[in-house]
Amino acid sequence: MTRNDTLFDRAQRSIPAGVNSPVRAFRSVGGTPRFLVRGAGCHVWDADGTRYIDYVGSWGPAIVGHAEPTVVRAVQARAADGLSFGAPTELEVEMAETLIRRLPSLELVRLVSSGTEATMSALRVARGYTGRSKIVKFEGCYHGHGDSLLVKAGSGALTFGQPSSAGVPPAIANETVVLPYNDAEALRALFAADGGAIAAVIVEPIAGNMNLVRPVPGFLETLRELCDAHGSVLIFDEVMTGFRVHPQGVQGLTGVTPDLTTLGKVIGGGMPVGAFGGKRAIMNVVAPLGPVYQAGTLSGNPVAVAAGLATLALTEAPGFYERLAARTRAFCDGLVSAARDAGVEFCADSVGGMFGLYFSPRVPTSYAEVMQGDKERFHRFFHAMLDAGVYLAPSAYEAGFVSAAHDDDALAATLAAARVAFAAARG
Ligand code: KE4
């Protein structure tokens, strides 16, 4: 029994499936989850002392690497003055001003403690602002575990084959319309039939929870056009893509401007910070300004915000995003070359510091195409890479992440491991 095995047995006696978030349980890839004890730069260590090159990065937050010294010092200094007050602090004003400065579509923004809180709050704001109830989401997109959004969701829900969760009352689920991602015509038809009843369309503007799936040309523009025509609120869920794929997220990359944006992950740098915001006219409905209630004991928590601000400051270094995108692209190109040499059908895609790996003939543009990928091959590849000291997301339906701390040595070691792992994956 390894330390990981012992800890996993112990954890399952007190925590459902031994984990505090389902995707961590390794249920789809099999085997024992690694109990991580330390991170530094692009590396993490597990309870048995094994070191891994980390391409999960806490599912996106670790964009500057683990235990980055300036981030750690910011947290230590802030914590020394008290952890939380439940009162306004200057630091959360600085965070709000930073987000507004970096995302021009934001006029007012509220901080929360997770991406789930951000998306559930944004939906309530859209419903309160429009007076309508119906929302539209897309199959394979994951927006956290709010009731209205656990309908044909991605990420862990998709990984375990329960895209629509038990426990969501039909009365709530029936207010959520799910369409195929990238299917603009299906959206046109829905709005033609029911546009006046639609409060909001929420979308991952680059999907990362059914693996990485880009919007096809015109898809986001169509969302914008139809929401304008029917008075519906367009919500870009940039919890994963915000400050990850571009200095201004997908809205900066594409020029398509949402009415509301949800954020998380990078803006907390590994500490619990989320945010929702957008047009002042819409955000004016948020309590206590307006009638839409939303609250949080630890919202804007100064220690968490200190980590986020220090992380965001590091991403503003000259050339940060260019270097991150180039490194991520080199990672993908190297894997494609290794797979070709091993005679394995494989492709990869990346946008900024986020990537997708597919055991498929071509990069998928829809949920249906993602589902045609060779999941068993991925599982064999995942474990061969894990055994070689490379920690990938334990699911064929997750995007992966490169950080500013992934250097040439880490990339070379990863590609050396991949040459062996693809041969193992071939089966
Ligand atoms: P959190 O509540 O997990 O902070 O954020 C929910 C969320 C919302 N929107 C998007 C686009 C997201 O990707 C997420 C969370 N992402 C997953 C990873 N695919 C978190 C990992 C997990 O659930 O443990």
Side-chain angles (χ1 to χ4, degrees), residues 21-24 59 114-117 119 142-145 155 204 208-209 237-240 265 398:
S21 199
V23 73
R24 303 176 189 174
W59 302 100
S114 71
T116 293
E117 275 191 272
T119 57
Y142 177 72
H143 304 287
H145 62 91
S155 187
E204 288 186 64
N209 287 290
D237 178 356
E238 296 226 43
V239 166
M240 184 183 285
K265 295 180 190 280
E398 293 285 357

Side-chain angles (χ1 to χ4, degrees), residues 123-166:
L123 281 184
R124 188 179 311 132
V125 166
R127 284 169 160 161
Y129 175 72
T130 60
R132 303 172 182 174
S133 300
K134 281 230 180 293
I135 61 158
V136 180
K137 74 176 287 290
F138 297 92
E139 191 171 27
C141 286
Y142 177 72
H143 304 287
H145 62 91
D147 278 353
S148 294
L149 292 162
L150 280 179
V151 183
K152 291 193 181 178
S155 187
L158 176 60
T159 299
F160 307 116
Q162 292 126 14
S164 300
S165 174

Side-chain angles (χ1 to χ4, degrees), residues 116-414:
T116 293
E117 275 191 272
T119 57
M120 60 183 267
S121 304
L123 281 184
R124 188 179 311 132
V125 166
R127 284 169 160 161
Y129 175 72
T130 60
R132 303 172 182 174
S133 300
K134 281 230 180 293
I135 61 158
V136 180
K137 74 176 287 290
F138 297 92
E139 191 171 27
C141 286
Y142 177 72
H143 304 287
H145 62 91
D147 278 353
S148 294
L149 292 162
L150 280 179
V151 183
K152 291 193 181 178
S155 187
L158 176 60
T159 299
F160 307 116
Q162 292 126 14
S164 300
S165 174
V168 177
I172 291 179
N174 292 339
E175 294 297 343
T176 301
V177 178
V178 184
L179 295 178
Y181 192 79
N182 272 330
D183 187 340
E185 286 326 300
L187 198 78
R188 276 192 194 288
L190 174 75
F191 268 93
D194 211 8
I198 296 171
V201 176
I202 186 167
V203 66
E204 288 186 64
I206 293 176
N209 287 290
M210 53 173 142
N211 213 319
L212 188 154
V213 177
R214 291 173 187 254
V216 296
F219 178 62
L220 297 180
E221 292 79 1
T222 302
L223 296 185
R224 181 67 279 169
E225 173 208 327
L226 292 170
C227 284
D228 284 340
H230 294 270
S232 304
V233 175
L234 177 56
I235 303 171
F236 272 13
D237 178 356
E238 296 226 43
V239 166
M240 184 183 285
T241 56
F243 310 113
R244 165 60 66 177
V245 299
H246 180 276
Q248 294 177 349
V250 178
Q251 51 199 276
L253 200 60
T254 61
V256 178
T257 302
D259 300 310
L260 294 179
T261 299
T262 54
L263 298 164
K265 295 180 190 280
V266 168
I267 71 168
M271 294 284 277
V273 181
F276 66 98
K279 287 180 177 165
R280 184 179 298 276
I282 299 175
M283 291 297 288
N284 278 340
V285 305
V286 178
L289 257 183
V292 177
Y293 196 71
Q294 186 279 331
T297 302
L298 298 179
S299 296
N301 172 272
V303 179
V305 165
L309 282 171
T311 299
L312 289 171
L314 290 169
T315 69
E316 296 204 65
F320 179 91
Y321 285 95
E322 291 76 6
R323 284 193 300 278
L324 184 65
R327 199 165 294 163
T328 310
R329 180 51 61 175
F331 164 82
C332 289
D333 292 347
L335 289 181
V336 167
S337 168
R340 187 175 48 244
D341 294 348
V344 172
E345 186 177 74
F346 172 85
C347 56
D349 191 13
S350 69
V351 185
M354 180 173 156
F355 63 84
L357 309 179
Y358 322 91
F359 284 87
S360 304
R362 70 188 66 78
V363 176
T365 60
S366 71
Y367 172 86
E369 286 175 22
V370 167
M371 297 313 285
Q372 289 162 5
D374 189 332
K375 205 165 66 164
E376 294 316 312
R377 251 186 186 171
F378 169 75
H379 294 166
R380 292 195 294 273
F381 180 72
F382 169 83
H383 278 290
M385 290 291 264
L386 193 67
D387 293 345
V390 178
Y391 190 77
L392 298 171
S395 162
Y397 307 122
E398 293 285 357
F401 306 96
V402 173
S403 81
H406 284 76
D407 57 18
D408 294 343
D409 290 347
L411 185 59
T414 302

Side-chain angles (χ1 to χ4, degrees), residues 1-21:
M1 288 273 273
T2 67
R3 228 22 221 115
N4 288 309
D5 292 326
T6 307
L7 282 168
F8 195 36
D9 285 352
R10 177 179 153 202
Q12 292 176 79
R13 290 196 288 273
S14 56
I15 303 172
V19 292
N20 284 311
S21 199

